[in-house]
Amino acid sequence: QSEEFDYVIIKRTGDATVPTTITAAGYATFSSAYAVDFSAAEGLTAYTATVSENKVVMTPIENGIVPANTGVILKGAAGDYTGVITTTEAVIENNDLVAATKEIASLATETTVNEDTYKNYILNVVNGIPGFYQAAGKKVAAGKAYLQVPAETVTGAKTLTIVWNDGETTGIEENYEFGTMNSDAATFDLSGRKVANPAKGLYIKNG
């Protein structure tokens, strides 16, 4: 109804809220085309990820705002949570998670970007312990995320242990020098459970 315009285009930019579900495992990857604020989602924490020495260090996002097209890990009790689309600007640095802006039918183990080689990993939970495992042709749904790091930083590593940078650790985190063996050190099975009397099979001792 204005003489100054020939026509007006009204475009829908998304719902005001973004629902997400945490499965019984307690973890999920997440990304969105819009910035999403999870600060009011009680019991839910969003984390960024950086890789160092074959370990993935998870750092909580203090304000709970996940920038648009940014991959994160959501951690919380199993259930449904809701984030609110926001225009608040948020910048995240040092994050090796990549947003899946569309479905990836088969994520390759390696990716070449500008002649540099990267390794791809996806989040998985085995026996209740989360970790990142080589993609090897796995599907990644739109709105999820995967880990992508320079190949030289994770030479030969098919699995990356997660370390929570908020006081919690996941998995076996004992440090020993190569070439040494402490006979008094505890023995663990491959699920990270301490074993008093190892039977036939594979176990972890001295890291």
Side-chain angles (χ1 to χ4, degrees), residues 10 12 31 44 51 60 63 92 101-102 108 120 133 141 147 150 154 156 165 172 180 185:
I10 300 175
R12 177 174 177 168
S31 64
L44 185 74
V51 175
N63 62 5
I92 290 179
T101 56
K102 60 182 180 180
N120 299 319
Y133 298 80
L147 192 70
V154 287
N165 196 16
I172 302 168
T180 66

Side-chain angles (χ1 to χ4, degrees), residues 6-71:
D6 292 328
Y7 55 86
V8 175
I9 295 177
I10 300 175
K11 181 180 179 182
R12 177 174 177 168
T13 59
D15 296 328
T17 60
V18 176
T20 188
T21 299
I22 300 294
T23 65
Y27 310 91
T29 63
F30 175 84
S31 64
S32 172
Y34 311 100
V36 180
D37 185 354
F38 285 107
S39 61
E42 187 175 351
L44 185 74
T45 304
Y47 292 82
T48 60
T50 53
V51 175
S52 176
E53 297 180 350
N54 289 355
K55 295 181 177 63
V56 185
V57 180
M58 310 298 295
T59 303
I61 300 175
E62 298 297 337
N63 62 5
I65 298 177
V66 178
N69 299 314
T70 300

